[in-house]
mmCIF file of all heavy atoms in Angstrom:
data_model
loop_
_atom_site.group_PDB
_atom_site.id
_atom_site.type_symbol
_atom_site.label_atom_id
_atom_site.label_comp_id
_atom_site.label_asym_id
_atom_site.label_seq_id
_atom_site.Cartn_x
_atom_site.Cartn_y
_atom_site.Cartn_z
ATOM 1 N N LEU A 1 -71.540 29.661 43.615
ATOM 2 C CA LEU A 1 -70.712 30.860 43.628
ATOM 3 C C LEU A 1 -71.581 32.116 43.686
ATOM 4 O O LEU A 1 -71.292 33.043 44.451
ATOM 5 C CB LEU A 1 -69.797 30.890 42.398
ATOM 6 C CG LEU A 1 -68.802 32.026 42.319
ATOM 7 C CD1 LEU A 1 -67.853 31.978 43.506
ATOM 8 C CD2 LEU A 1 -68.025 31.954 41.029
ATOM 9 N N ALA A 2 -72.657 32.138 42.911
ATOM 10 C CA ALA A 2 -73.554 33.288 42.912
ATOM 11 C C ALA A 2 -74.213 33.474 44.278
ATOM 12 O O ALA A 2 -74.298 34.601 44.791
ATOM 13 C CB ALA A 2 -74.620 33.119 41.834
ATOM 14 N N ILE A 3 -74.670 32.388 44.888
ATOM 15 C CA ILE A 3 -75.278 32.467 46.222
ATOM 16 C C ILE A 3 -74.263 32.997 47.224
ATOM 17 O O ILE A 3 -74.579 33.859 48.053
ATOM 18 C CB ILE A 3 -75.812 31.089 46.654
ATOM 19 C CG1 ILE A 3 -76.984 30.664 45.774
ATOM 20 C CG2 ILE A 3 -76.237 31.099 48.120
ATOM 21 C CD1 ILE A 3 -77.372 29.204 45.936
ATOM 22 N N SER A 4 -73.041 32.514 47.153
ATOM 23 C CA SER A 4 -71.992 32.936 48.088
ATOM 24 C C SER A 4 -71.679 34.418 47.944
ATOM 25 O O SER A 4 -71.535 35.129 48.943
ATOM 26 C CB SER A 4 -70.728 32.115 47.869
ATOM 27 O OG SER A 4 -70.975 30.767 48.134
ATOM 28 N N VAL A 5 -71.565 34.889 46.720
ATOM 29 C CA VAL A 5 -71.241 36.299 46.486
ATOM 30 C C VAL A 5 -72.384 37.194 46.963
ATOM 31 O O VAL A 5 -72.155 38.198 47.648
ATOM 32 C CB VAL A 5 -70.917 36.540 44.996
ATOM 33 C CG1 VAL A 5 -70.849 38.024 44.686
ATOM 34 C CG2 VAL A 5 -69.621 35.857 44.617
ATOM 35 N N VAL A 6 -73.613 36.817 46.626
ATOM 36 C CA VAL A 6 -74.762 37.638 47.032
ATOM 37 C C VAL A 6 -74.884 37.701 48.547
ATOM 38 O O VAL A 6 -75.083 38.780 49.116
ATOM 39 C CB VAL A 6 -76.064 37.097 46.384
ATOM 40 C CG1 VAL A 6 -77.293 37.735 47.001
ATOM 41 C CG2 VAL A 6 -76.039 37.331 44.890
ATOM 42 N N ILE A 7 -74.760 36.583 49.233
ATOM 43 C CA ILE A 7 -74.900 36.603 50.688
ATOM 44 C C ILE A 7 -73.734 37.337 51.340
ATOM 45 O O ILE A 7 -73.909 37.995 52.379
ATOM 46 C CB ILE A 7 -75.103 35.185 51.265
ATOM 47 C CG1 ILE A 7 -75.702 35.263 52.684
ATOM 48 C CG2 ILE A 7 -73.823 34.408 51.308
ATOM 49 C CD1 ILE A 7 -77.050 35.833 52.766
ATOM 50 N N ALA A 8 -72.546 37.271 50.763
ATOM 51 C CA ALA A 8 -71.413 38.026 51.310
ATOM 52 C C ALA A 8 -71.668 39.525 51.196
ATOM 53 O O ALA A 8 -71.405 40.285 52.141
ATOM 54 C CB ALA A 8 -70.123 37.645 50.595
ATOM 55 N N ILE A 9 -72.190 39.959 50.060
ATOM 56 C CA ILE A 9 -72.490 41.384 49.872
ATOM 57 C C ILE A 9 -73.609 41.821 50.821
ATOM 58 O O ILE A 9 -73.517 42.864 51.469
ATOM 59 C CB ILE A 9 -72.872 41.664 48.406
ATOM 60 C CG1 ILE A 9 -71.638 41.497 47.514
ATOM 61 C CG2 ILE A 9 -73.458 43.068 48.246
ATOM 62 C CD1 ILE A 9 -71.941 41.499 46.030
ATOM 63 N N LEU A 10 -74.663 41.019 50.922
ATOM 64 C CA LEU A 10 -75.773 41.370 51.808
ATOM 65 C C LEU A 10 -75.350 41.411 53.275
ATOM 66 O O LEU A 10 -75.784 42.291 54.025
ATOM 67 C CB LEU A 10 -76.931 40.392 51.620
ATOM 68 C CG LEU A 10 -77.693 40.493 50.301
ATOM 69 C CD1 LEU A 10 -78.723 39.384 50.198
ATOM 70 C CD2 LEU A 10 -78.342 41.856 50.159
ATOM 71 N N SER A 11 -74.496 40.489 53.689
ATOM 72 C CA SER A 11 -74.052 40.505 55.083
ATOM 73 C C SER A 11 -73.128 41.690 55.344
ATOM 74 O O SER A 11 -73.177 42.305 56.410
ATOM 75 C CB SER A 11 -73.384 39.192 55.468
ATOM 76 O OG SER A 11 -72.209 38.997 54.743
ATOM 77 N N TRP A 12 -72.310 42.044 54.372
ATOM 78 C CA TRP A 12 -71.451 43.217 54.506
ATOM 79 C C TRP A 12 -72.294 44.479 54.652
ATOM 80 O O TRP A 12 -72.023 45.331 55.505
ATOM 81 C CB TRP A 12 -70.522 43.315 53.298
ATOM 82 C CG TRP A 12 -69.569 44.467 53.363
ATOM 83 C CD1 TRP A 12 -68.424 44.538 54.099
ATOM 84 C CD2 TRP A 12 -69.688 45.708 52.677
ATOM 85 N NE1 TRP A 12 -67.823 45.753 53.900
ATOM 86 C CE2 TRP A 12 -68.576 46.494 53.032
ATOM 87 C CE3 TRP A 12 -70.620 46.224 51.795
ATOM 88 C CZ2 TRP A 12 -68.386 47.765 52.533
ATOM 89 C CZ3 TRP A 12 -70.429 47.498 51.304
ATOM 90 C CH2 TRP A 12 -69.319 48.251 51.671
ATOM 91 N N LEU A 13 -73.334 44.588 53.823
ATOM 92 C CA LEU A 13 -74.231 45.742 53.931
ATOM 93 C C LEU A 13 -74.976 45.738 55.262
ATOM 94 O O LEU A 13 -75.219 46.788 55.849
ATOM 95 C CB LEU A 13 -75.230 45.746 52.767
ATOM 96 C CG LEU A 13 -74.656 46.039 51.385
ATOM 97 C CD1 LEU A 13 -75.727 45.867 50.322
ATOM 98 C CD2 LEU A 13 -74.071 47.438 51.337
ATOM 99 N N GLY A 14 -75.330 44.564 55.745
ATOM 100 C CA GLY A 14 -76.023 44.455 57.024
ATOM 101 C C GLY A 14 -75.177 44.916 58.190
ATOM 102 O O GLY A 14 -75.695 45.460 59.167
ATOM 103 N N HIS A 15 -73.871 44.719 58.101
ATOM 104 C CA HIS A 15 -72.970 45.173 59.171
ATOM 105 C C HIS A 15 -72.974 46.691 59.297
ATOM 106 O O HIS A 15 -72.650 47.229 60.349
ATOM 107 C CB HIS A 15 -71.544 44.683 58.931
ATOM 108 C CG HIS A 15 -71.358 43.233 59.173
ATOM 109 N ND1 HIS A 15 -71.641 42.629 60.371
ATOM 110 C CD2 HIS A 15 -70.902 42.251 58.360
ATOM 111 C CE1 HIS A 15 -71.386 41.337 60.284
ATOM 112 N NE2 HIS A 15 -70.931 41.085 59.070
ATOM 113 N N TYR A 16 -73.299 47.368 58.219
ATOM 114 C CA TYR A 16 -73.303 48.826 58.232
ATOM 115 C C TYR A 16 -74.708 49.401 58.348
ATOM 116 O O TYR A 16 -74.946 50.552 57.998
ATOM 117 C CB TYR A 16 -72.595 49.361 56.988
ATOM 118 C CG TYR A 16 -71.129 49.016 57.017
ATOM 119 C CD1 TYR A 16 -70.637 47.953 56.262
ATOM 120 C CD2 TYR A 16 -70.254 49.715 57.827
ATOM 121 C CE1 TYR A 16 -69.292 47.613 56.321
ATOM 122 C CE2 TYR A 16 -68.913 49.385 57.892
ATOM 123 C CZ TYR A 16 -68.450 48.331 57.132
ATOM 124 O OH TYR A 16 -67.124 48.000 57.201
ATOM 125 N N GLY A 17 -75.651 48.575 58.826
ATOM 126 C CA GLY A 17 -76.979 49.066 59.157
ATOM 127 C C GLY A 17 -77.941 49.227 58.008
ATOM 128 O O GLY A 17 -78.933 49.933 58.122
ATOM 129 N N TRP A 18 -77.697 48.571 56.891
ATOM 130 C CA TRP A 18 -78.592 48.698 55.745
ATOM 131 C C TRP A 18 -79.820 47.806 55.856
ATOM 132 O O TRP A 18 -80.748 47.956 55.084
ATOM 133 C CB TRP A 18 -77.837 48.375 54.462
ATOM 134 C CG TRP A 18 -76.876 49.452 54.070
ATOM 135 C CD1 TRP A 18 -75.899 49.994 54.843
ATOM 136 C CD2 TRP A 18 -76.814 50.128 52.827
ATOM 137 N NE1 TRP A 18 -75.222 50.948 54.165
ATOM 138 C CE2 TRP A 18 -75.760 51.051 52.910
ATOM 139 C CE3 TRP A 18 -77.526 50.032 51.651
ATOM 140 C CZ2 TRP A 18 -75.422 51.887 51.861
ATOM 141 C CZ3 TRP A 18 -77.182 50.858 50.601
ATOM 142 C CH2 TRP A 18 -76.141 51.773 50.716
ATOM 143 N N SER A 19 -79.789 46.847 56.779
ATOM 144 C CA SER A 19 -80.944 45.965 56.964
ATOM 145 C C SER A 19 -81.037 45.563 58.433
ATOM 146 O O SER A 19 -80.052 45.600 59.170
ATOM 147 C CB SER A 19 -80.836 44.723 56.074
ATOM 148 O OG SER A 19 -79.673 43.993 56.374
ATOM 149 N N SER A 20 -82.242 45.183 58.827
ATOM 150 C CA SER A 20 -82.463 44.800 60.220
ATOM 151 C C SER A 20 -81.934 43.391 60.469
ATOM 152 O O SER A 20 -81.634 42.638 59.534
ATOM 153 C CB SER A 20 -83.954 44.857 60.543
ATOM 154 O OG SER A 20 -84.641 43.842 59.831
ATOM 155 N N LEU A 21 -81.854 43.033 61.742
ATOM 156 C CA LEU A 21 -81.386 41.697 62.111
ATOM 157 C C LEU A 21 -82.316 40.627 61.562
ATOM 158 O O LEU A 21 -81.864 39.597 61.051
ATOM 159 C CB LEU A 21 -81.263 41.579 63.630
ATOM 160 C CG LEU A 21 -80.840 40.216 64.166
ATOM 161 C CD1 LEU A 21 -79.463 39.838 63.633
ATOM 162 C CD2 LEU A 21 -80.842 40.213 65.678
ATOM 163 N N GLN A 22 -83.622 40.859 61.636
ATOM 164 C CA GLN A 22 -84.585 39.883 61.121
ATOM 165 C C GLN A 22 -84.412 39.686 59.613
ATOM 166 O O GLN A 22 -84.450 38.563 59.122
ATOM 167 C CB GLN A 22 -86.005 40.321 61.438
ATOM 168 C CG GLN A 22 -87.036 39.300 61.034
ATOM 169 C CD GLN A 22 -88.444 39.732 61.403
ATOM 170 O OE1 GLN A 22 -88.686 40.890 61.726
ATOM 171 N NE2 GLN A 22 -89.366 38.807 61.347
ATOM 172 N N THR A 23 -84.190 40.757 58.887
ATOM 173 C CA THR A 23 -83.962 40.652 57.441
ATOM 174 C C THR A 23 -82.691 39.863 57.156
ATOM 175 O O THR A 23 -82.666 39.020 56.256
ATOM 176 C CB THR A 23 -83.858 42.052 56.822
ATOM 177 O OG1 THR A 23 -85.049 42.783 57.126
ATOM 178 C CG2 THR A 23 -83.673 41.987 55.323
ATOM 179 N N ARG A 24 -81.651 40.102 57.926
ATOM 180 C CA ARG A 24 -80.398 39.379 57.737
ATOM 181 C C ARG A 24 -80.561 37.897 58.036
ATOM 182 O O ARG A 24 -79.958 37.051 57.369
ATOM 183 C CB ARG A 24 -79.303 39.996 58.600
ATOM 184 C CG ARG A 24 -78.933 41.390 58.116
ATOM 185 C CD ARG A 24 -78.016 42.111 59.058
ATOM 186 N NE ARG A 24 -76.765 41.402 59.206
ATOM 187 C CZ ARG A 24 -75.900 41.665 60.161
ATOM 188 N NH1 ARG A 24 -76.142 42.610 61.036
ATOM 189 N NH2 ARG A 24 -74.783 40.984 60.242
ATOM 190 N N GLN A 25 -81.376 37.561 59.049
ATOM 191 C CA GLN A 25 -81.634 36.159 59.360
ATOM 192 C C GLN A 25 -82.383 35.488 58.216
ATOM 193 O O GLN A 25 -82.047 34.357 57.823
ATOM 194 C CB GLN A 25 -82.432 36.041 60.657
ATOM 195 C CG GLN A 25 -81.633 36.374 61.881
ATOM 196 C CD GLN A 25 -82.488 36.423 63.134
ATOM 197 O OE1 GLN A 25 -83.682 36.678 63.077
ATOM 198 N NE2 GLN A 25 -81.857 36.179 64.277
ATOM 199 N N ILE A 26 -83.360 36.162 57.671
ATOM 200 C CA ILE A 26 -84.115 35.611 56.535
ATOM 201 C C ILE A 26 -83.198 35.416 55.337
ATOM 202 O O ILE A 26 -83.270 34.393 54.639
ATOM 203 C CB ILE A 26 -85.312 36.517 56.196
ATOM 204 C CG1 ILE A 26 -86.333 36.462 57.328
ATOM 205 C CG2 ILE A 26 -85.943 36.134 54.869
ATOM 206 C CD1 ILE A 26 -87.437 37.498 57.223
ATOM 207 N N GLU A 27 -82.319 36.383 55.095
ATOM 208 C CA GLU A 27 -81.358 36.257 53.989
ATOM 209 C C GLU A 27 -80.462 35.039 54.180
ATOM 210 O O GLU A 27 -80.216 34.277 53.239
ATOM 211 C CB GLU A 27 -80.495 37.516 53.890
ATOM 212 C CG GLU A 27 -81.229 38.742 53.455
ATOM 213 C CD GLU A 27 -80.433 40.016 53.677
ATOM 214 O OE1 GLU A 27 -79.338 39.975 54.299
ATOM 215 O OE2 GLU A 27 -80.905 41.077 53.249
ATOM 216 N N GLY A 28 -79.955 34.850 55.401
ATOM 217 C CA GLY A 28 -79.061 33.720 55.673
ATOM 218 C C GLY A 28 -79.755 32.379 55.527
ATOM 219 O O GLY A 28 -79.222 31.454 54.901
ATOM 220 N N PHE A 29 -80.951 32.254 56.088
ATOM 221 C CA PHE A 29 -81.686 30.995 55.967
ATOM 222 C C PHE A 29 -82.082 30.719 54.515
ATOM 223 O O PHE A 29 -82.046 29.573 54.060
ATOM 224 C CB PHE A 29 -82.931 30.998 56.867
ATOM 225 C CG PHE A 29 -82.627 30.863 58.323
ATOM 226 C CD1 PHE A 29 -83.133 31.760 59.239
ATOM 227 C CD2 PHE A 29 -81.817 29.837 58.792
ATOM 228 C CE1 PHE A 29 -82.852 31.639 60.596
ATOM 229 C CE2 PHE A 29 -81.521 29.700 60.138
ATOM 230 C CZ PHE A 29 -82.045 30.612 61.040
ATOM 231 N N SER A 30 -82.447 31.773 53.783
ATOM 232 C CA SER A 30 -82.802 31.595 52.376
ATOM 233 C C SER A 30 -81.593 31.146 51.559
ATOM 234 O O SER A 30 -81.699 30.262 50.698
ATOM 235 C CB SER A 30 -83.358 32.898 51.801
ATOM 236 O OG SER A 30 -84.516 33.274 52.475
ATOM 237 N N ALA A 31 -80.440 31.758 51.831
ATOM 238 C CA ALA A 31 -79.222 31.367 51.112
ATOM 239 C C ALA A 31 -78.852 29.926 51.433
ATOM 240 O O ALA A 31 -78.464 29.164 50.536
ATOM 241 C CB ALA A 31 -78.072 32.308 51.469
ATOM 242 N N PHE A 32 -78.976 29.533 52.700
ATOM 243 C CA PHE A 32 -78.688 28.145 53.049
ATOM 244 C C PHE A 32 -79.659 27.207 52.358
ATOM 245 O O PHE A 32 -79.259 26.155 51.848
ATOM 246 C CB PHE A 32 -78.744 27.937 54.566
ATOM 247 C CG PHE A 32 -78.557 26.496 54.952
ATOM 248 C CD1 PHE A 32 -77.301 25.908 54.870
ATOM 249 C CD2 PHE A 32 -79.632 25.720 55.354
ATOM 250 C CE1 PHE A 32 -77.123 24.570 55.192
ATOM 251 C CE2 PHE A 32 -79.456 24.388 55.687
ATOM 252 C CZ PHE A 32 -78.204 23.811 55.609
ATOM 253 N N GLY A 33 -80.937 27.567 52.316
ATOM 254 C CA GLY A 33 -81.924 26.733 51.635
ATOM 255 C C GLY A 33 -81.636 26.584 50.151
ATOM 256 O O GLY A 33 -81.730 25.489 49.597
ATOM 257 N N LEU A 34 -81.287 27.688 49.501
ATOM 258 C CA LEU A 34 -80.924 27.621 48.084
ATOM 259 C C LEU A 34 -79.680 26.775 47.867
ATOM 260 O O LEU A 34 -79.600 25.983 46.921
ATOM 261 C CB LEU A 34 -80.699 29.029 47.525
ATOM 262 C CG LEU A 34 -81.933 29.876 47.298
ATOM 263 C CD1 LEU A 34 -81.518 31.302 46.951
ATOM 264 C CD2 LEU A 34 -82.787 29.283 46.197
ATOM 265 N N ASN A 35 -78.697 26.940 48.739
ATOM 266 C CA ASN A 35 -77.465 26.152 48.654
ATOM 267 C C ASN A 35 -77.766 24.665 48.818
ATOM 268 O O ASN A 35 -77.231 23.825 48.082
ATOM 269 C CB ASN A 35 -76.477 26.632 49.708
ATOM 270 C CG ASN A 35 -75.150 25.948 49.600
ATOM 271 O OD1 ASN A 35 -74.547 25.932 48.532
ATOM 272 N ND2 ASN A 35 -74.683 25.381 50.692
ATOM 273 N N ALA A 36 -78.625 24.327 49.793
ATOM 274 C CA ALA A 36 -78.998 22.924 50.003
ATOM 275 C C ALA A 36 -79.755 22.378 48.801
ATOM 276 O O ALA A 36 -79.530 21.229 48.395
ATOM 277 C CB ALA A 36 -79.827 22.789 51.276
ATOM 278 N N ALA A 37 -80.631 23.185 48.217
ATOM 279 C CA ALA A 37 -81.378 22.740 47.035
ATOM 280 C C ALA A 37 -80.436 22.459 45.864
ATOM 281 O O ALA A 37 -80.596 21.460 45.153
ATOM 282 C CB ALA A 37 -82.415 23.792 46.648
ATOM 283 N N VAL A 38 -79.447 23.324 45.673
ATOM 284 C CA VAL A 38 -78.466 23.100 44.597
ATOM 285 C C VAL A 38 -77.682 21.814 44.859
ATOM 286 O O VAL A 38 -77.451 21.019 43.944
ATOM 287 C CB VAL A 38 -77.518 24.317 44.473
ATOM 288 C CG1 VAL A 38 -76.350 24.003 43.560
ATOM 289 C CG2 VAL A 38 -78.274 25.523 43.968
ATOM 290 N N ALA A 39 -77.288 21.593 46.120
ATOM 291 C CA ALA A 39 -76.539 20.376 46.457
ATOM 292 C C ALA A 39 -77.383 19.130 46.231
ATOM 293 O O ALA A 39 -76.893 18.127 45.703
ATOM 294 C CB ALA A 39 -76.063 20.435 47.904
ATOM 295 N N VAL A 40 -78.650 19.177 46.608
ATOM 296 C CA VAL A 40 -79.533 18.019 46.402
ATOM 297 C C VAL A 40 -79.744 17.770 44.915
ATOM 298 O O VAL A 40 -79.753 16.619 44.458
ATOM 299 C CB VAL A 40 -80.875 18.221 47.146
ATOM 300 C CG1 VAL A 40 -81.892 17.180 46.730
ATOM 301 C CG2 VAL A 40 -80.651 18.171 48.650
ATOM 302 N N LEU A 41 -79.907 18.831 44.132
ATOM 303 C CA LEU A 41 -80.031 18.657 42.680
ATOM 304 C C LEU A 41 -78.761 18.050 42.085
ATOM 305 O O LEU A 41 -78.821 17.340 41.084
ATOM 306 C CB LEU A 41 -80.345 19.986 42.009
ATOM 307 C CG LEU A 41 -81.744 20.533 42.244
ATOM 308 C CD1 LEU A 41 -81.875 21.930 41.653
ATOM 309 C CD2 LEU A 41 -82.799 19.603 41.665
ATOM 310 N N GLY A 42 -77.631 18.317 42.717
ATOM 311 C CA GLY A 42 -76.365 17.737 42.260
ATOM 312 C C GLY A 42 -76.297 16.232 42.443
ATOM 313 O O GLY A 42 -75.463 15.559 41.827
ATOM 314 N N PHE A 43 -77.177 15.668 43.276
ATOM 315 C CA PHE A 43 -77.192 14.214 43.469
ATOM 316 C C PHE A 43 -77.570 13.479 42.180
ATOM 317 O O PHE A 43 -77.285 12.298 42.043
ATOM 318 C CB PHE A 43 -78.177 13.810 44.568
ATOM 319 C CG PHE A 43 -77.769 14.229 45.958
ATOM 320 C CD1 PHE A 43 -78.679 14.199 46.985
ATOM 321 C CD2 PHE A 43 -76.484 14.659 46.258
ATOM 322 C CE1 PHE A 43 -78.334 14.573 48.267
ATOM 323 C CE2 PHE A 43 -76.119 15.036 47.523
ATOM 324 C CZ PHE A 43 -77.047 14.998 48.539
ATOM 325 N N TRP A 44 -78.218 14.159 41.228
ATOM 326 C CA TRP A 44 -78.625 13.514 39.981
ATOM 327 C C TRP A 44 -77.604 13.721 38.867
ATOM 328 O O TRP A 44 -77.899 13.485 37.703
ATOM 329 C CB TRP A 44 -79.990 14.043 39.551
ATOM 330 C CG TRP A 44 -81.090 13.409 40.333
ATOM 331 C CD1 TRP A 44 -81.695 12.221 40.053
ATOM 332 C CD2 TRP A 44 -81.683 13.889 41.529
ATOM 333 N NE1 TRP A 44 -82.628 11.948 41.012
ATOM 334 C CE2 TRP A 44 -82.649 12.950 41.936
ATOM 335 C CE3 TRP A 44 -81.500 15.016 42.318
ATOM 336 C CZ2 TRP A 44 -83.419 13.121 43.075
ATOM 337 C CZ3 TRP A 44 -82.264 15.179 43.444
ATOM 338 C CH2 TRP A 44 -83.213 14.230 43.812
#
């Protein structure tokens, strides 16, 4: 939930020019990586 809220806020800010496209891509890939790590930890 925290990852989802943070990435939603960051993407909303990115739509209004607060960050570059490259920064937004890094944010998205990082959020996906964190989400995948949480899911893998859930396997235990």
Side-chain angles (χ1 to χ4, degrees):
L1 184 61
I3 293 168
S4 297
V5 169
V6 168
I7 199 64
I9 291 169
L10 290 175
S11 65
W12 182 78
L13 291 174
H15 287 302
Y16 294 101
W18 287 53
S19 60
S20 68
L21 178 61
Q22 185 178 14
T23 303
R24 292 171 62 194
Q25 288 173 334
I26 292 170
E27 292 167 353
F29 287 128
S30 298
F32 176 74
L34 286 171
N35 185 53
V38 169
V40 169
L41 289 174
F43 291 166
W44 282 275

